Amino acid sequence: YDPHFRGLVDQAAGPILVSAANFGTGSSREQAAQCLKYAGIKCVIASSFSATFIRNALNNGLLVLECPGLSAVLRERYGGGTETDIATPSVVVDGRVEVSLREWKVTFTTAGKEESFAVTPLGPAAQELVVHGGLHQWIQANM
């Protein structure tokens, strides 16, 4: 738990949350994804996700992408948050992450250096949920 997380999200322009493996494990309720979306998180990138979290995120129109390469690089450079130092559960990086769904990649730029990482593509149904803003909106658009 990070009591400063909301403030960090509020300070960022287009915040993207990057995490390690099994993101969302233990969060079987859809409020976990809803809270991130309504806090302003635009996208969650992780090495892997709980299947339940993926379903809840997509149903709420929250973009979730698996990208083990980016996750590993950020962990190596910036540490593992709480696993490294309990006083700093959230780590803010000094770079920019750009998501390209056309090319299914993310690009991380810091200090003028650009690195690209492959993203596991989302299927057509998942893409439609994200584009429409969630399952409810998709149903309304398709009735």
Side-chain angles (χ1 to χ4, degrees):
Y1 173 73
D2 185 351
H4 305 292
F5 180 77
R6 180 59 192 252
L8 297 173
V9 172
D10 288 344
Q11 293 173 12
I16 294 175
L17 176 63
V18 181
S19 186
N22 300 320
F23 185 84
T25 298
S27 322
S28 63
R29 300 190 182 257
E30 72 177 323
Q31 287 85 353
Q34 287 173 336
C35 287
L36 292 173
K37 179 179 178 178
Y38 291 108
I41 299 294
K42 304 299 181 197
C43 175
V44 179
I45 300 171
S47 297
S48 63
F49 291 90
S50 143
T52 303
F53 183 83
I54 290 175
R55 174 55 41 208
N56 288 334
L58 295 173
N59 282 345
N60 283 281
L62 177 63
L63 180 61
V64 289
L65 299 171
E66 290 188 353
C67 184
L70 175 64
S71 189
V73 165
L74 293 180
R75 183 180 180 91
E76 179 182 306
R77 290 186 193 158
Y78 299 97
T82 310
E83 296 170 12
T84 306
D85 180 3
I86 195 70
T88 56
S90 299
V91 178
V92 178
V93 300
D94 58 345
R96 176 177 173 81
V97 175
E98 185 175 315
V99 177
S100 171
L101 298 180
R102 185 177 306 272
E103 300 176 41
W104 294 109
K105 72 175 185 177
V106 295
T107 303
F108 177 61
T109 306
T110 185
K113 182 180 177 192
E114 196 173 276
E115 300 170 89
S116 292
F117 304 90
V119 170
T120 303
L122 295 177
Q127 291 177 43
E128 283 191 46
L129 290 174
V130 172
V131 167
H132 282 90
L135 181 59
H136 180 77
Q137 294 86 340
W138 181 87
I139 291 170
Q140 286 181 322
N142 288 282
M143 286 188 75

